[in-house]
């Protein structure tokens, strides 16, 4: 047996150009620092309309140079169940309140109301077969000048001695019900603050 080597088969590569062997960059290994050593803990406080004001805790990166810890935690939105904000109210757990940070007071984050919604499982339990679902929304200005967008959901329901399987509403009836819903929402919300 014999082997033939041609000169074109030899490849000369320059040092540092090999794509498979990465070059070391930087000054060696970086010192591993615990990320929580650069964090501050803050206590979240709900508005004073709620009986229970302690919502929980959150972290914020400590002040470094011009980056203030206050700017880091401002405008954060937290979600809390009504059962957490009100004592002995496990039945109201399906109501979720959004609370937005409005002020930083030392280690306390003071929040204000930012929205309310229902849990998905509660909404799914309300929807039934053989009925009509009616939704309405209204933009209302309260007495203190706050603009609020309200959403309402309603369902048709069978009468007491009804024999028919379905309880659907006609399109004109749905429109009339929706108009009444908006009217009630505007009347009730514009009278409160």
């Amino acid at each position: 047996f014999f082997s033939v080597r041609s000169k074109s088969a030899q490849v000369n590569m320059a040092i540092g150009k090999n794509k498979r062997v990465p070059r070391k960059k930087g000054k060696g290994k970086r010192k591993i620092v615990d990320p929580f050593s650069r964090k501050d803990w803050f206590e979240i406080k709900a508005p004073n309309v709620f009986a229970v004001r302690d919502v929980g805790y959150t972290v914020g990166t400590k002040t470094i140079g011009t980056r203030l810890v206050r700017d880091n935690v401002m405008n954060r939105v937290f979600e809390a169940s009504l059962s957490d904000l009100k004592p002995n109210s496990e039945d109201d757990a399906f109501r979720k309140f959004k609370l937005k940070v409005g002020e930083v007071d030392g280690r306390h984050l003071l929040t204000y109301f930012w929205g309310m919604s229902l849990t998905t499982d509660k909404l799914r339990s309300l929807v039934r077969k053989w009925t009509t679902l009616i939704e309405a929304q209204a933009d209302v200005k309260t007495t203190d000048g706050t603009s609020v967008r309200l959403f309402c959901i309603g369902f048709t329901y069978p009468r007491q001695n009804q024999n028919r399987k379905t309880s659907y509403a006609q399109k004109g009836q749905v429109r009339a019900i929706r108009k009444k819903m908006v009217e009630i929402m505007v009347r009730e919300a514009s009278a409160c603050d």
Side-chain angles (χ1 to χ4, degrees):
F1 288 98
F2 65 94
S3 67
V4 178
R5 268 181 138 175
S6 67
K7 287 188 177 183
S8 61
Q10 282 184 323
V11 179
N12 291 329
M13 295 182 76
I15 296 170
K17 296 287 185 182
N18 190 350
K19 300 290 183 222
R20 283 167 276 160
V21 181
R23 278 191 303 168
K24 286 188 179 179
K25 294 178 182 174
K27 297 172 186 160
K29 281 190 174 181
R30 292 184 69 195
K31 194 167 67 174
I32 298 166
V33 179
D34 181 30
F36 279 96
S37 66
R38 290 188 297 234
K39 305 284 182 189
D40 277 338
W41 285 90
F42 293 91
E43 190 176 359
I44 306 157
K45 294 284 189 183
N48 57 7
V49 294
F50 298 107
V52 179
R53 299 221 34 218
D54 298 329
V55 177
Y57 292 88
T58 189
V59 291
T61 309
K62 286 181 183 175
T63 301
I64 301 167
T66 58
R67 300 176 78 186
L68 300 173
V69 68
R70 184 183 182 285
D71 299 336
N72 188 261
V73 294
M74 277 297 282
N75 299 321
R76 287 189 187 181
V77 179
F78 301 100
E79 206 167 72
S81 168
L82 184 59
S83 62
D84 298 334
L85 299 170
K86 197 169 132 189
N88 304 323
S89 61
E90 284 74 34
D91 299 339
D92 294 328
F94 60 87
R95 284 192 179 92
K96 296 185 299 182
F97 282 88
K98 284 185 178 173
L99 305 170
K100 190 171 184 178
V101 177
E103 199 177 319
V104 181
D105 183 31
R107 289 272 170 261
H108 299 292
L109 301 180
L110 306 178
T111 61
Y112 58 91
F113 174 79
W114 191 244
M116 193 205 88
S117 60
L118 299 178
T119 57
T120 311
D121 61 314
K122 178 65 175 178
L123 277 173
R124 301 290 181 271
S125 71
L126 292 171
V127 179
R128 300 228 183 279
K129 283 170 83 175
W130 319 119
T131 61
T132 303
L133 183 145
I134 305 160
E135 289 181 309
Q137 65 184 53
D139 292 330
V140 186
K141 211 172 203 100
T142 59
T143 52
D144 59 353
T146 308
S147 292
V148 183
R149 179 168 287 160
L150 300 173
F151 295 90
C152 185
I153 189 167
F155 307 94
T156 56
Y157 201 78
R159 291 190 177 169
Q160 212 165 17
N161 300 326
Q162 184 174 317
N163 293 327
R164 199 186 319 144
K165 180 182 175 184
T166 61
S167 300
Y168 297 132
Q170 293 174 342
K171 202 153 195 175
Q173 292 171 324
V174 169
R175 253 189 248 115
I177 293 167
R178 191 176 291 122
K179 188 178 176 185
K180 194 73 178 168
M181 287 166 123
V182 170
E183 185 186 302
I184 292 167
M185 282 193 287
V186 169
R187 184 182 69 224
E188 295 295 322
S190 59
C192 64
D193 53 313

